Amino acid sequence: FPMAATDPQVLALAAQITESREQDIPLLLLKLKGILSSPSLGCEESNKIKQDLYDYGLTQYCLLVLKRDHSQLHGAWATAAQLAEILSHCCVGLEVKEDPEEFYKKFLPSAIDTLLVLGKRLQARFTRAIKDKEKQDFLHWFRIVTDAICWLFSGHIQLAACVLQNDRFLQLLITDDVETAIIMMSVLHNILRINSSVLLQVEEETLHSVLDELVYKLSSTTNPAVGSAATKLLLFVAKLSKQLVQLLTARYKGLKGLLSKQWTGKGFDREVNQLLDLLYLEQSSGKGEMQKQHQAACIIQAAWRGFQTRKRLKKLPQAVITLQRSFRAKREQELQHLTKQKEDEALKLQMQLQRQRAMRLFHQRQLALLEVVHASQVNKYMQEMEEKSALTIQRFWRGYRARRIFHQQKQSLKEYKAAIIIQRAACKFLEKRRRRRPLSPWKEPKGLTDEQRLALQQKVDDYIKLHPASQMSEEMSKELHMQAQAKLAQFLLRSRLDQRAAQRREALLAQVNTDVELLMNAPGLAETTEKDLGAFMSRSIPVATKARQTHNTMLKYTRWPWWKKLGDEFMEDDVIPDGAINTELETLFIGGRK
């Protein structure tokens, strides 16, 4: 770190970034905007702060954050666009004295490439966006990034050629979208305005690609804004050098006819006329048939080159994605293979250690037992141990063999069980089919006509209007439920009391009937004996008498002929017909008290 006096805000921010988590660093870097845009700073103080930011690595940190996945940042693309603007302001006006080659040869080109990548991603998302709000936001952030690029190469003129030769700049320029195309053509205009000789310094292929795209835009669109921007750019290029005018005249034979026929009277006639004058000056007065054919061929070639370039650029992201996917899959597979190999080695080592430990314990146990066992019993003990070991080995071998045989026969066992289930289901189906009675042929119901259906619908609607469904609140439902529960409890209690009262009445009625019958059959007072008196005093004698009569009645019922019991086919065996013994049971006394 530098020993000179450093701005306290820079020191505090650097310390805060050092102690913060990685996901919080982008939000902290946004504070650089406030530090750089402070109104109290002069030119020298501003350059001093930029130097401190670069020395403390905050500028490099902005570049590293922009190289990450922007969708995972706090604020996503808005944060990335603001960081791009901050990075450009930190670099413009900065003069690095220590190791300037690192800054001018590596850091600045890397910053330009990162900003172009960010612009390409924003352009792709703007093209895929559906909602107007999203399109406006992505266009705003795209404009911020392009302004940051312009600001960066305006402070470092040597970066203009770096921007123009970058493949991503050509990808940004080759687009069918109107808004982003106009913005990129304004960036190209700023490049040419800042460094007018840049087109003569770049490679011929790059120059031809840029001019092909401008001419293609003039030939493929009817939008006045795109046409005006492309015409102004071609006019600016033609004014830069006579060599470029010759290139335009020789390479694009039909450019003059295209400008005069398609873009005259579109609101920028002055620029069109100036460009036509420059082109006509380089063209000879006579035009032969060969020149016309050459002109037509150049236009076709320009359109074809533009089409091929677009097609190749559209396939490029998919190819990169496929390559990345295959690389990640291969790397994941290698990691899994290494992990599995390590786990297998660890498992083998663990099993070996367990075997060694078990063998050591076994030998120790054997030695301890040999010390305890008498010498004369050692051979017998060893023979018993060998038999036990043999039995253990045989048991494990039989279990292994049985499991192997079972696994081999598992499929056939499944097929056998499936066949049994299918046969059982088929037998049940056939049995049901045999038991099924023949049904009468089905007759299709007569359908309703449209008039009958409308009449029924009208009746239903009228009934619903006359009897609307009542709506009940939750409190009323709970209250109604409590009332129903109370009434049900009262009914159950009352029914139990009524049942007991009915039983008591039946008992009393049976007792009265028994007493009446005994009185009717009793002898006179002159003929009464002590035995007759006991029949009236004892309660068991009447009960036994009635039981005997009931038994005789049931025996008589069982002896009835079959024609008297024709209606009893479905009667249970332990059920006695009430009509047959009702008379006898009416006089039976039920003993006991309530």
Side-chain angles (χ1 to χ4, degrees), residues 427-494:
C427 292
K428 287 184 179 179
F429 171 74
L430 294 175
E431 185 65 22
K432 288 181 180 180
R433 192 171 182 181
R434 282 194 296 268
R435 291 182 180 180
R436 190 180 300 166
R437 295 180 180 178
L439 300 176
S440 59
W442 181 75
K443 295 182 180 180
E444 184 180 1
K446 296 182 179 180
L448 295 175
T449 62
D450 294 339
E451 293 79 6
Q452 293 176 348
R453 191 177 291 104
L454 292 175
L456 288 176
Q457 185 66 35
Q458 185 64 33
K459 290 182 180 180
V460 171
D461 295 340
D462 295 339
Y463 183 84
I464 292 174
K465 290 180 181 179
L466 293 175
H467 305 85
S470 59
Q471 297 181 356
M472 186 178 296
S473 62
E474 186 176 358
E475 292 78 8
M476 294 178 64
S477 300
K478 290 182 179 180
E479 183 179 358
L480 183 60
H481 176 70
M482 296 300 295
Q483 292 178 2
Q485 292 292 327
K487 289 184 180 181
L488 181 59
Q490 292 177 2
F491 171 75
L492 293 176
L493 181 60
R494 193 182 305 111

Side-chain angles (χ1 to χ4, degrees), residues 8-227:
Q9 295 180 353
V10 177
L11 285 174
L13 183 59
Q16 191 175 2
I17 290 176
T18 305
E19 298 174 357
S20 299
R21 297 180 300 174
E22 185 177 0
Q23 56 267 27
D24 297 332
I25 292 177
L27 296 179
L28 295 175
L29 291 174
L30 295 178
K31 296 181 179 180
L32 292 174
K33 188 174 183 180
I35 296 175
L36 294 172
S37 61
S38 178
S40 61
L41 295 178
C43 182
E44 296 181 358
E45 295 175 351
S46 177
N47 294 336
K48 179 64 173 58
I49 288 178
K50 293 177 182 178
Q51 183 67 42
D52 294 338
L53 292 176
Y54 182 80
D55 293 338
Y56 278 90
L58 298 180
T59 307
Q60 295 89 327
Y61 226 122
C62 288
L63 182 60
L64 291 176
V65 171
L66 286 175
K67 289 182 178 181
R68 290 168 47 189
D69 187 4
H70 308 101
S71 60
Q72 297 181 358
L73 298 176
H74 287 287
W77 300 105
T79 303
Q82 294 180 21
L83 289 176
E85 185 178 10
I86 292 171
L87 178 63
S88 64
H89 283 281
C90 289
C91 294
V92 173
L94 176 61
E95 296 180 359
V96 178
K97 298 180 180 179
E98 296 181 4
D99 196 7
E101 186 176 358
E102 175 71 19
F103 177 72
Y104 291 102
K105 299 296 184 181
K106 296 182 179 180
F107 181 80
L108 289 178
S110 178
I112 285 292
D113 186 74
T114 303
L115 294 180
L116 288 173
V117 171
L118 177 59
K120 180 61 180 175
R121 293 178 179 176
L122 288 171
Q123 186 187 51
R125 278 160 177 79
F126 169 77
T127 306
R128 292 196 300 265
I130 300 176
K131 298 181 180 179
D132 294 336
K133 181 65 170 60
E134 293 180 357
K135 293 182 76 67
Q136 292 176 3
D137 292 339
F138 281 115
L139 184 62
H140 174 66
W141 298 330
F142 179 78
R143 188 176 285 108
I144 292 176
V145 173
T146 53
D147 291 341
I149 295 172
C150 294
W151 181 257
L152 189 57
F153 65 69
S154 65
H156 302 278
I157 302 176
Q158 72 276 11
L159 293 178
C162 181
V163 174
L164 196 60
Q165 291 178 349
N166 198 303
D167 294 336
R168 293 182 178 84
F169 175 78
L170 186 61
Q171 295 174 10
L172 288 169
L173 184 63
I174 299 175
T175 179
D176 294 329
D177 184 72
V178 176
E179 291 84 356
T180 56
I182 294 174
I183 293 174
M184 290 310 302
M185 283 191 286
S186 66
V187 173
L188 179 59
H189 189 272
N190 290 331
I191 292 174
L192 299 178
R193 181 176 53 82
I194 292 171
N195 189 355
S196 58
S197 62
V198 66
L199 288 177
L200 300 176
Q201 297 173 1
V202 298
E203 298 178 358
E204 185 178 3
E205 183 179 359
T206 303
L207 175 61
H208 290 173
S209 298
V210 172
L211 295 179
D212 289 344
E213 182 59 25
L214 294 177
V215 174
Y216 176 80
K217 291 185 184 300
L218 287 175
S219 62
S220 63
T221 185
T222 57
N223 191 295
V226 177

Side-chain angles (χ1 to χ4, degrees), residues 546-563:
K546 298 309 293 182
R548 185 166 50 254
Q549 293 176 359
T550 305
H551 178 68
N552 293 333
T553 305
M554 292 183 65
L555 288 176
K556 187 187 299 183
Y557 172 76
T558 57
R559 294 190 186 98
W560 281 359
W562 63 270
W563 49 269

Side-chain angles (χ1 to χ4, degrees), residues 7 243 382 533 551 559:
D7 189 85
Q243 181 180 354
M382 294 301 295
L533 184 60
H551 178 68
R559 294 190 186 98

Side-chain angles (χ1 to χ4, degrees), residues 508-523 535-536 539 542 546 586-589:
L508 292 176
L509 183 59
Q511 182 180 359
V512 171
N513 291 334
T514 304
D515 292 341
V516 169
E517 186 175 355
L518 289 175
L519 289 174
M520 292 294 293
N521 297 327
F536 286 98
R539 307 306 300 175
K546 298 309 293 182
E586 284 180 355
T587 59
L588 178 63
F589 168 69

